[in-house]
Amino acid sequence: MTTTTNTGVHTDTTTEGAPAYAPEHEPRMQWAKHAPEVYKAMVRLDAAAGQGLDPRLRELVKIRASQLNHCAFCLDMHTKDALAAGESVERIVQLGAWEESRHFYTEKELAAIELTEAVTVLTDGFVPDEVYERAAAHFEEAELAHLIASITVINAWNRFGVTARAVPGHYTPGQYK
């Protein structure tokens, strides 16, 4: 059913008056079903990469990489996990514009977010020294190694999700842990 609002905008609604959303797409494939050993190895790698990192920081990094990679499935998962870990809606929302919203984050978080962008978007073919050095100033070497590993792992997950067209919206926090 199509209705016209008092502003002249046409909207599609169901017979009950709720908005009629676009249909959910089908995934291209259930890659984990067809490559279960790869999936299990990724889960183990993800767990190992995150050791010693603050869970909320780790979720911010995963969200930012997923935004950059346009992985809706991972955005759904990691925003829900971040909220479950106690992250605020405001900081999650502002993450897409973190450079203009620096006051929402600590210097350590900003260094991690900036490093996430540099590792995720390798358009210049390298991570700039100044970005790495800012992160190194806020993280002990072992913690920095785990941060780099976590950034690398979420980028791999994003590539699986985007390529297989994983469907967002059905995840519940902690579902895959």
Side-chain angles (χ1 to χ4, degrees):
M1 176 168 81
T2 300
T3 58
T4 305
T5 66
N6 60 0
T7 60
V9 175
H10 298 286
T11 58
D12 290 327
T13 59
T14 63
T15 55
E16 295 82 34
Y21 295 106
E24 188 173 275
H25 70 267
E26 292 292 323
R28 283 186 176 146
M29 71 176 324
Q30 301 290 333
W31 78 267
K33 175 182 169 187
H34 298 291
E37 293 307 314
V38 175
Y39 176 78
K40 291 176 194 171
M42 284 294 297
V43 169
R44 289 190 305 273
L45 180 60
D46 194 29
Q51 290 179 356
L53 292 177
D54 174 85
R56 287 175 40 191
L57 173 70
R58 192 163 173 237
E59 293 303 331
L60 290 175
V61 163
K62 289 179 176 187
I63 292 166
R64 187 62 191 134
S66 299
Q67 288 172 335
L68 293 166
N69 290 322
H70 304 280
C71 185
F73 181 83
C74 291
L75 279 170
D76 178 52
M77 176 187 295
H78 296 297
T79 55
K80 289 174 179 175
D81 282 345
L83 290 167
E87 189 54 79
S88 73
V89 171
E90 189 172 50
R91 284 171 30 106
I92 293 169
V93 169
Q94 292 300 319
L95 195 54
W98 68 269
E99 291 174 301
E100 297 173 40
S101 305
R102 297 178 68 84
H103 60 285
F104 286 92
Y105 308 100
T106 67
E107 290 299 321
K108 184 174 184 174
E109 290 168 337
L110 290 168
I113 294 164
E114 186 177 27
L115 184 63
T116 299
E117 289 201 8
V119 172
T120 301
V121 184
L122 291 173
T123 54
D124 293 331
F126 62 92
V127 173
D129 290 340
E130 59 274 8
V131 171
Y132 182 86
E133 288 165 8
R134 264 191 294 281
H138 292 282
F139 293 88
E140 306 251 341
E141 276 194 350
E143 190 181 24
L144 182 58
H146 280 93
L147 175 61
I148 294 166
S150 289
I151 295 167
T152 302
V153 172
I154 189 57
N155 274 279
W157 280 120
N158 290 165
R159 279 143 179 82
F160 284 121
V162 170
T163 304
R165 291 189 69 206
V167 180
H170 302 283
Y171 178 78
T172 55
Q175 178 178 339
Y176 297 123
K177 297 189 191 263

